[in-house]
Amino acid sequence: MTVSIIVPIYNAEAYIERCAKSIFEQSYSDLQIIFIDDNSQDRTLQVLQNIFRNYPERRSQIVLRTLDENLGVANARQIGLDLADGDYVTQIDADDYISTDYIQNMLDVATCNNCDIVICDFVYLLPTRKKYVHVSFDPDPEICLARVMTGEMHAGFMNKLVRRSLYTQNGFRMVPGLNMFEDKAMMVRLLSSAKVLGYVPKAMYFYDK
């Protein structure tokens, strides 16, 4: 079973090495790793291509799309979704990173319970400390949806593995130009269509605020 990992990137030279390494060093092997560079104006691409050389075993799994103009994160995410061919999709922001067992643990729950969406705990990377966040999870998608709407549950793509057909069969696409809360707008639709949710009570996503 293949998992597509989408990484939208813009001027991330300070963080992209940490992010990419955490993906390339996943214990799970069957990955499609999609980087969408949204016309970065710094050394992001050079740093990223240098990292590629250190992981030759992943090279055939990497898709790198560089945009000729800055289209914004919503469009970058959609381009990644259009390129994705995995059974499940997860999105990782360029300034964040994941634990080496993130994909394996999330996929184990997904396949065992035939989940549409799997959610895990996460860690806020604050300037002087790390803050563990226990997700306010409920197996009922309507309850999770309500918690996303009220802010009780984080609405981002971070810490979530989504069955790709949930996007394709419902015709869900990112809203072009909506570059703030674009993930919340999509997550509301995904949760409203999901039938089975799963949860991993372990912090495996590291979110740099």
Side-chain angles (χ1 to χ4, degrees):
M1 186 167 288
T2 303
V3 174
S4 296
I5 300 175
I6 299 171
V7 186
I9 306 167
Y10 179 69
N11 289 351
E13 66 174 315
Y15 307 99
I16 191 60
E17 181 174 1
R18 179 179 68 178
C19 176
K21 282 184 174 181
S22 75
I23 295 169
F24 295 153
E25 294 174 6
Q26 286 298 294
S27 59
Y28 190 75
S29 59
D30 192 359
L31 302 177
Q32 179 194 29
I33 307 167
I34 304 170
F35 296 98
I36 307 297
D37 181 75
D38 194 17
N39 197 234
S40 291
Q41 299 300 303
D42 62 1
R43 294 184 62 258
T44 294
L45 280 176
Q46 295 96 308
V47 173
L48 190 57
Q49 288 167 341
N50 285 336
I51 301 166
F52 290 169
R53 298 188 185 98
N54 296 328
Y55 296 89
E57 73 281 6
R58 293 291 191 190
R59 195 63 189 89
S60 65
Q61 301 175 336
I62 295 169
V63 178
L64 174 61
R65 178 66 58 88
T66 58
L67 307 184
D68 294 332
E69 59 181 311
N70 181 255
L71 299 180
V73 68
N75 285 312
R77 291 190 192 281
Q78 186 58 56
I79 291 168
L81 287 166
D82 289 340
L83 291 169
D85 60 15
D87 301 282
Y88 284 87
V89 176
T90 190
Q91 301 201 37
I92 302 170
D93 288 345
D95 54 349
D96 300 340
Y97 63 97
I98 52 177
S99 64
T100 56
D101 57 355
Y102 174 76
I103 297 296
Q104 184 69 68
N105 288 342
M106 298 284 270
L107 193 59
D108 283 348
V109 170
T111 53
C112 182
N113 301 291
N114 196 29
C115 295
D116 295 309
I117 301 173
V118 180
I119 304 169
C120 71
D121 292 343
F122 63 95
V123 172
Y124 274 128
L125 301 174
L126 302 172
T128 59
R129 64 188 178 93
K130 295 180 180 180
K131 179 183 177 182
Y132 190 110
V133 178
H134 293 276
V135 171
S136 180
F137 177 79
D138 191 281
D140 185 334
E142 289 189 6
I143 293 175
C144 275
L145 176 58
R147 291 176 180 174
V148 161
M149 295 299 292
T150 61
E152 186 178 352
M153 177 181 288
H154 198 289
F157 290 128
M158 51 159 281
N159 78 317
K160 297 174 182 72
L161 184 75
V162 180
R163 192 194 303 273
R164 187 169 65 89
S165 61
L166 210 58
Y167 289 96
T168 57
Q169 290 180 4
N170 292 290
F172 292 156
R173 298 183 67 81
M174 304 297 298
V175 180
L178 182 65
N179 296 319
M180 183 176 292
F181 303 119
E182 81 289 344
D183 44 3
K184 181 175 183 178
M186 177 61 79
M187 192 52 59
V188 166
R189 287 180 281 171
L190 292 169
L191 284 169
S192 68
S193 301
K195 293 181 173 59
V196 182
L197 303 183
Y199 172 57
V200 180
K202 180 180 178 181
M204 300 180 292
Y205 191 104
F206 297 82
Y207 177 46
D208 196 326
K209 294 192 74 178

